[in-house]
Amino acid sequence: MILHEKKNLLVLGCSFTVSEYKTFGEVISEKYDMNLHNLGIEGGSNFYIQKKLIQFFGKNPLSRDTFVIIGWSHPQRRLYWNNKKKDWFNDTNHINMKETDRFKEPFIHKTWTYKERQNFVTNFLNSSFAENSHYIEHIISTQSFMELNKIPYIMFNSLWDMFSDGKNSYQGKMVIDIDWDEIGERPNLNRELWDNLVDKDTFYSKVFHEMIGEDKSLWYSENDNHPNDISHKLWSDKLIKFIKSVYV
């Protein structure tokens, strides 16, 4: 088992990778006596996940001793550089909210009004084709980085899946083939990228959020469907089984 051979476990993702409860990363690292590096963050975007991955290995040349698990977030989440804070900040669609402090002084240098933000969104955002494109390119470039540096890994979707039926509460109308008409191609470029360039062998096809579903015994609380300790344990079991099948 490859996890027995590694000293470090790096986990990246959104709020489905961090919790007050024992997370799947903690369960796996304890089971295989590994040092856990959990860089997940609430509201984390895929841009953030990829950036933190590269920064981690840039600062820590631990590739030979590290196994990586990536839980991709939702493609509609974005990452901005804040010149006031001198740091990155993740946007969980606050750009579309009329009442939010994320785009007001003193959080940023100059308040970005709701009207100004809506003009920006209308011109440049809210395209399912573009959001799917970013998402797939994150996967492809991350897989290339891992293989180039000989870092063993798996990845999965925490919230969202391009191939689900669209009934997932995080899904909306983002499935891969809905955006065909945006660029007038059938099949569109995103479908071709997914089919031809994504390594499916290291991509666990199940979605963490869908495993939890409507079973409130797996919820963080009565009104919060984030994973609790039971669901994290169940997910860790599934991931371990998948890792064993990939790294025979």
Side-chain angles (χ1 to χ4, degrees), residues 15-170:
S15 56
F16 273 55
T17 62
V18 294
S19 178
E20 295 179 1
Y21 290 110
K22 181 180 286 189
T23 64
F24 68 83
E26 291 175 280
V27 174
I28 294 173
S29 63
E30 289 178 7
K31 180 179 177 68
Y32 293 96
D33 193 23
M34 306 169 79
N35 300 315
L36 176 63
H37 306 269
N38 191 339
L39 301 185
I41 186 174
E42 292 182 2
S45 66
N46 292 332
F47 294 93
Y48 178 88
I49 290 168
Q50 187 178 52
K51 190 174 293 294
K52 285 298 180 180
L53 169 74
I54 294 172
Q55 289 177 353
F56 176 84
F57 284 107
K59 295 178 180 178
N60 304 282
L62 304 173
S63 59
R64 293 183 180 178
D65 294 323
T66 303
F67 191 92
V68 178
I69 299 177
I70 298 174
W72 293 112
S73 185
H74 198 289
Q76 288 181 335
R77 293 181 175 179
R78 304 172 185 94
L79 186 70
Y80 303 103
W81 176 257
N82 186 335
N83 281 328
K84 179 70 177 293
K85 302 289 186 180
K86 300 289 190 277
D87 199 3
W88 299 98
F89 83 88
N90 291 284
D91 175 27
T92 55
N93 217 30
H94 281 249
I95 195 170
N96 280 308
M97 297 180 184
K98 191 169 185 178
E99 299 299 328
T100 177
D101 293 329
R102 302 302 298 274
F103 295 101
K104 293 181 179 179
E105 301 171 49
F107 187 76
I108 58 177
H109 277 306
K110 298 293 183 181
T111 295
W112 198 9
T113 68
Y114 178 68
K115 183 177 180 180
E116 291 170 338
R117 285 185 278 122
Q118 285 304 291
N119 287 338
F120 180 80
V121 167
T122 300
N123 284 325
F124 303 113
L125 301 181
N126 287 0
S127 162
S128 59
F129 173 80
E131 287 158 349
N132 280 331
S133 179
H134 286 312
Y135 164 74
I136 295 172
E137 289 167 5
H138 282 133
I139 294 170
I140 295 168
S141 57
T142 297
Q143 290 183 332
S144 298
F145 173 82
M146 305 300 267
E147 291 163 11
L148 176 66
N149 291 283
K150 298 181 173 58
I151 304 168
Y153 71 96
I154 62 165
M155 51 181 63
F156 63 89
N157 288 318
S158 292
L159 309 178
W160 177 87
D161 177 20
M162 289 190 299
F163 304 101
S164 73
D165 57 13
K167 295 178 181 178
N168 181 329
S169 59
Y170 288 96

Side-chain angles (χ1 to χ4, degrees), residues 207-218:
V207 180
F208 197 176
H209 178 265
E210 291 184 353
M211 183 203 76
I212 297 169
E214 298 301 318
D215 184 352
K216 291 196 173 185
S217 69
L218 302 178

